[in-house]
């Protein structure tokens, strides 16, 4: 799949592109079916909601779950991004966010590249976020919200929020959000929240400011978030554990387009458990020095 000139222009202006129903119900079924078992594991890579057992984020499933390893190599997702950057890609981060019915907590307003720069020393913003819905996303189950065009501001001021939720994040303060939303059209389109069936896909710029509210509905909002980084733009610092910020910069080789329907073989390097090295960080080395 290639992006049309119109799609490239829309992405440049708005900072995101939405592809409703990009994957069929048959294609998402196997992915969805694998989630409960992955979430049941008592492992560091499952981050739970504050004061609850509900999983907020599962990290790095593409390294130990076959269906997700195939998704990570899907040409309908990887090829358009590769064409946009004119370069091969590696997987910087892979998450299955739960946002479970009644329990899913907020994600404060933030940019992803802010974190990748501050924590991981990723040199430039040449990394793309991809969201793939495994459940229907509607107005009630905490859809992802964007401020269109906010990526044009580059990296904005942020503060490290260690208290609001169970996951540390560099968040943008309310005054700046007010300004960005006003500039994007205020009540007329200053915030958008793409909704659609399971299998829908969003590509969004790593500087696009985004957030989501809590999920008070009875419907789960499980979505996969992948961050595809241009190989030459790989991170320079290993401050975060490897299951959060990957250190294997090998380019992704795509599988055929029907890879979610057929059992193409895939490597699963963490199938027997996460290596101890994945928990080590450059901070440990500094502490030991
Ligand atoms: C994210 O920004 O990484 C996740 C947001 C969400 O799951 O709503
Ligand atoms: Mn984010």
């Amino acid at each position: 799949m290639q992006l049309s000139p119109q799609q490239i222009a829309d992405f440049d202006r708005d900072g995101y592109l939405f592809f409703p129903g990009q994957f069929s119900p048959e294609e998402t079924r196997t992915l969805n079916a694998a989630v409960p078992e992955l979430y049941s594991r008592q492992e560091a890579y499952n981050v739970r909601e504050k004061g609850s057992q509900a999983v907020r984020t599962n990290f790095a499933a593409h390294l130990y779950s076959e269906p997700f390893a195939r998704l990570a190599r899907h040409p309908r997702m990887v090829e358009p991004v590769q064409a946009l950057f004119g370069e091969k890609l590696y997987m910087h981060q892979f998450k299955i966010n739960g946002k479970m019915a009644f329990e899913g907590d907020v994600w404060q307003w933030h940019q992803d590249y802010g974190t990748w720069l501050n924590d991981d020393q990723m040199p430039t913003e040449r990394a793309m976020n991809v969201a793939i819905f495994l459940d229907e996303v509607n107005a009630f189950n905490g859809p992802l919200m964007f401020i269109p065009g906010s990526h044009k501001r580059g990296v904005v001021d942020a503060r490290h929020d260690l208290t609001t939720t169970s996951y540390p994040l560099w968040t943008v303060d309310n005054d700046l959000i007010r300004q960005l939303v006003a500039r994007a059209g205020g009540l007329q389109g200053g915030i958008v929240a793409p909704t659609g069936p399971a299998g829908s896909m969003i590509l969004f710029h790593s500087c696009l400011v985004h957030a989501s509210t809590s999920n008070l509905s009875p419907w789960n909002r499980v979505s996969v978030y992948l961050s595809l980084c241009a190989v030459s733009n790989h991170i320079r610092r290993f401050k975060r554990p490897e299951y959060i910020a990957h250190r294997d910069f090998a380019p992704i080789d795509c599988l055929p387009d029907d890879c979610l329907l057929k059992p193409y073989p895939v490597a699963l390097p963490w199938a027997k458990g996460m290596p101890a090295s994945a928990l080590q960080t450059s901070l440990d080395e500094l502490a030991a020095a």
Side-chain angles (χ1 to χ4, degrees):
M1 187 189 101
Q2 295 301 331
L3 300 178
S4 67
Q6 183 60 53
Q7 285 173 315
I8 293 174
D10 290 349
F11 179 77
D12 182 55
R13 185 192 59 226
D14 299 332
Y16 74 95
L17 288 171
F18 184 41
F19 302 86
Q22 174 81 341
F23 297 95
S24 68
E26 208 187 345
E27 288 179 307
T28 50
R29 199 166 298 135
T30 324
L31 297 167
N32 231 329
V35 172
E37 189 278 321
L38 295 173
Y39 278 5
S40 74
R41 299 182 185 186
Q42 296 297 323
E43 296 280 355
Y45 53 62
N46 276 330
V47 175
R48 292 169 200 279
E49 300 285 8
K50 226 175 181 175
S52 150
Q53 277 303 299
V55 170
R56 176 177 179 81
T57 297
N58 163 281
F59 285 100
H62 65 306
L63 298 179
Y64 48 82
S65 160
E66 272 193 41
F68 288 100
R70 292 193 191 102
L71 178 68
R73 294 163 174 81
H74 205 294
R76 248 177 275 160
M77 168 189 75
V78 175
E79 280 174 0
V81 180
Q82 206 165 267
L84 210 57
F85 289 157
E87 198 184 324
K88 291 286 240 177
L89 310 168
Y90 81 93
M91 189 66 66
H92 170 60
Q93 190 172 74
F94 190 106
K95 306 182 290 203
I96 311 170
N97 282 3
K99 186 83 76 170
M100 303 310 274
F102 302 112
E103 306 217 55
D105 206 348
V106 302
W107 288 82
Q108 301 286 6
W109 288 107
H110 68 283
Q111 295 176 306
D112 286 2
Y113 182 61
T115 302
W116 303 339
L117 176 68
N118 285 310
D119 286 350
D120 308 327
Q121 288 184 357
M122 184 186 284
T124 75
E125 55 192 56
R126 280 161 53 79
M128 177 73 84
N129 274 320
V130 185
I132 295 167
F133 303 173
L134 295 191
D135 291 310
E136 176 188 289
V137 175
N138 56 43
F140 312 104
N141 61 359
L144 192 58
M145 303 186 289
F146 299 129
I147 304 177
S150 54
H151 63 302
K152 296 275 187 193
R153 290 286 296 263
V155 179
V156 300
D157 286 344
R159 78 184 170 84
H160 209 194
D161 177 1
L162 299 167
T163 55
T164 310
T165 68
S166 56
Y167 186 70
L169 201 62
W170 291 84
T171 59
V172 180
D173 77 35
N174 294 349
D175 283 342
L176 185 51
I177 295 301
R178 233 176 248 120
Q179 283 173 35
L180 292 171
V181 171
R183 208 164 294 157
L187 285 169
Q188 276 74 48
I191 300 179
V192 296
T195 54
S200 300
M201 175 174 95
I202 309 173
L203 301 184
F204 63 103
H205 194 283
S206 58
C207 287
L208 194 67
V209 178
H210 59 284
S212 61
T213 61
S214 61
N215 183 4
L216 292 178
S217 83
W219 305 297
N220 293 341
R221 195 226 64 179
V222 178
S223 297
V224 186
Y225 290 85
L226 309 92
S227 308
L228 299 169
C229 185
V231 168
S232 65
N233 193 41
H234 67 80
I235 62 169
R236 305 299 201 249
R237 181 166 70 178
F238 301 159
K239 180 182 161 191
R240 301 193 293 168
E242 190 179 359
Y243 63 88
I244 298 181
H246 293 294
R247 302 166 189 172
D248 177 358
F249 309 136
I252 298 171
D253 284 325
C254 288
L255 290 170
D257 192 75
D258 59 357
C259 64
L260 292 176
L261 302 173
K262 294 190 182 154
Y264 294 99
V266 277
L268 295 174
W270 292 5
K272 293 204 161 64
M274 202 162 47
S277 60
L279 294 166
Q280 277 162 12
T281 66
S282 50
L283 294 181
D284 301 329
E285 285 150 34
L286 288 176

